[in-house]
Amino acid sequence: MKAPAGFFSALVLLLLIGAVLGQRPRPRKPTRRPTTPRKPSVPEPQEPTDIPPLILGPPSPYPDCPRECLCSPSYPNSLNCENRNIRVIPVIPLRTHYLYLQNNYISEVTAEPFVNATDIRWINLANNRIHRIDRQVFQKIPALLYLYVQRNQLKEVPSGLPASLEQLRLSKNRISKIPAGALSKMGNLTLLDLYHNQLSDSDLGRNTFKDLSSLMQLNLAHNVLRKMPAGVPNNLIQLFLDKNRIEDIPKDYFQGFSHLAFVRLNYNQLSDKGVPRAVFNISTLLDLQLAHNQLTTIPLFSTHLEHLHLNHNTIQNINGTLICPHSLQGDMSDPSHIPRLRYLRLDGNQLSPPIPLDVITCFRHLHSIVI
């Protein structure tokens, strides 16, 4: 029996509608955009393996070039061994002046590789796993000028450092001890960086820095100091003490400094009681940072100060008459009498706009104030 034509027409129409509906894209569920991991500020190599590093390019033109390193004809006095999966320092060629060993897996530095390398001027050992440096190493390289050993596992400042040294960078180790005499006879040292270690007041004696007559920058930030360090050389230009636990400053602490221009004491425990009102009133000071402390008043400072950071304290009001280095009624026609303050940061306190008129009247060079 034949089906009616109308039945077949209806069936075909239903199939076509189903096919069209089946082709419609289904709505997708919203997906969260994957976050891009932040790159570390200092490259961290992968775990070391027993496979030696791959040597690319033509053989070195120098027969004394260690297999683990690269020796470029363009820089015949440089030995480049960074990021090479090295755990033992190779024998250093006699011609080497600049030695790059950063970002490896070196655990100790012994004298043997330096037997012939008497002319080395610069060593970069940053970002390794160094926990010991033999003092005999420095007897082999008496002309060393720059030593970078940051991001390692040292527990004390190396002994036997050469008197020729000009820069010593030891930040981000585990240093809790400076052996007696470790910094003696180092009259050429201009920069000492001990940032982010474990130094306490008992680790810094009055004679620790006494021989550093040329020191210009001392960085003791991010340690566990409760007092201002004693015996700091008076030729210092930059003193960094952020992120310690310092509670007070002796009133005569900065007397005798002839070139001190930058002082940073952010993130300490300073209060009005521990900060004598005129302790920072020294003519050489250009940049003073006292952020993230417990101050309620602004200390006095000289007309030469250009940058003042007092953010995130507990200051409730600001009186330009009290903090102005000169009397507002005095003669301000002489340019030398006008305070040089150009940048003042006060945000994070208990202040609110507007800025008092006497502040603007006093500090005529003020270009930026954050409140």
Side-chain angles (χ1 to χ4, degrees), residues 9-288:
S9 299
L11 182 61
V12 170
L13 181 61
L14 289 172
L15 291 174
L16 288 173
I17 292 173
V20 171
L21 293 175
Q23 291 178 356
R24 285 185 179 179
R26 295 182 178 179
R28 295 182 180 179
K29 294 182 178 180
T31 57
R32 182 178 295 177
R33 186 178 180 180
T35 57
T36 304
R38 293 183 178 180
K39 294 182 180 180
S41 57
V42 176
E44 292 288 348
Q46 300 296 320
E47 282 297 311
T49 66
D50 293 327
I51 302 174
L54 182 63
I55 307 300
L56 301 175
S60 171
Y62 301 100
D64 58 357
C65 185
R67 181 181 179 276
E68 302 94 326
C69 305
L70 294 175
C71 300
S72 171
S74 301
Y75 304 97
N77 298 121
S78 296
L79 182 62
N80 300 294
C81 311
E82 69 272 21
N83 294 295
R84 306 294 288 177
N85 196 23
I86 292 174
R87 281 171 281 184
V88 177
I89 298 176
V91 175
I92 311 302
L94 174 65
R95 58 187 167 79
T96 305
H97 288 178
Y98 307 95
L99 176 58
Y100 301 93
L101 285 161
Q102 65 268 31
N103 302 325
N104 283 295
Y105 298 89
I106 301 164
S107 59
E108 59 180 342
V109 182
T110 59
E112 288 78 8
F114 298 91
V115 170
N116 297 320
T118 55
D119 289 331
I120 287 185
R121 301 291 191 272
W122 181 308
I123 300 179
N124 192 335
L125 286 160
N127 202 29
N128 277 277
R129 298 178 177 176
I130 298 169
H131 60 84
R132 185 173 68 90
I133 300 179
D134 289 349
R135 64 180 302 141
Q136 289 79 14
V137 170
F138 304 112
Q139 296 175 4
K140 307 295 182 182
I141 47 177
L144 185 65
L145 299 177
Y146 303 94
L147 177 61
Y148 298 165
V149 203
Q150 58 267 39
R151 289 182 178 266
N152 278 282
Q153 300 173 13
L154 293 174
K155 293 185 178 180
E156 61 180 48
V157 172
S159 297
L161 294 166
S164 58
L165 205 62
E166 293 182 4
Q167 290 192 13
L168 177 59
R169 298 180 183 268
L170 296 169
S171 61
K172 294 193 175 181
N173 277 272
R174 303 172 184 175
I175 296 173
S176 60
K177 180 181 180 182
I178 302 179
L183 301 175
S184 63
K185 300 179 181 180
M186 297 184 66
N188 292 311
L189 195 68
T190 60
L191 183 149
L192 176 58
D193 185 3
L194 288 163
Y195 166 78
H196 206 309
N197 279 285
Q198 301 170 18
L199 290 167
S200 63
D201 299 328
S202 60
D203 303 316
L204 302 180
R206 180 164 293 276
N207 296 324
T208 300
F209 308 114
K210 72 171 185 176
D211 291 337
L212 307 183
S213 56
S214 299
L215 195 66
M216 292 188 289
Q217 184 185 115
L218 176 60
N219 192 343
L220 291 168
H222 212 307
N223 281 276
V224 289
L225 302 176
R226 293 185 178 274
K227 300 178 180 179
M228 299 291 287
V232 176
N234 56 15
N235 284 327
L236 202 68
I237 296 175
Q238 300 177 339
L239 177 60
F240 301 152
L241 292 165
D242 312 82
K243 292 191 176 181
N244 278 282
R245 303 173 186 175
I246 299 172
E247 298 178 356
D248 57 78
I249 305 172
K251 65 178 182 179
D252 57 348
Y253 184 82
F254 295 108
Q255 291 183 6
F257 284 90
S258 54
H259 299 93
L260 189 63
F262 302 87
V263 174
R264 293 194 339 210
L265 281 157
N266 303 315
Y267 292 95
N268 277 280
Q269 299 175 15
L270 293 170
S271 63
D272 295 345
K273 182 180 178 181
V275 179
R277 184 159 172 76
V279 70
F280 297 115
N281 191 11
I282 50 180
S283 60
T284 59
L285 198 58
L286 300 177
D287 187 292
L288 175 60

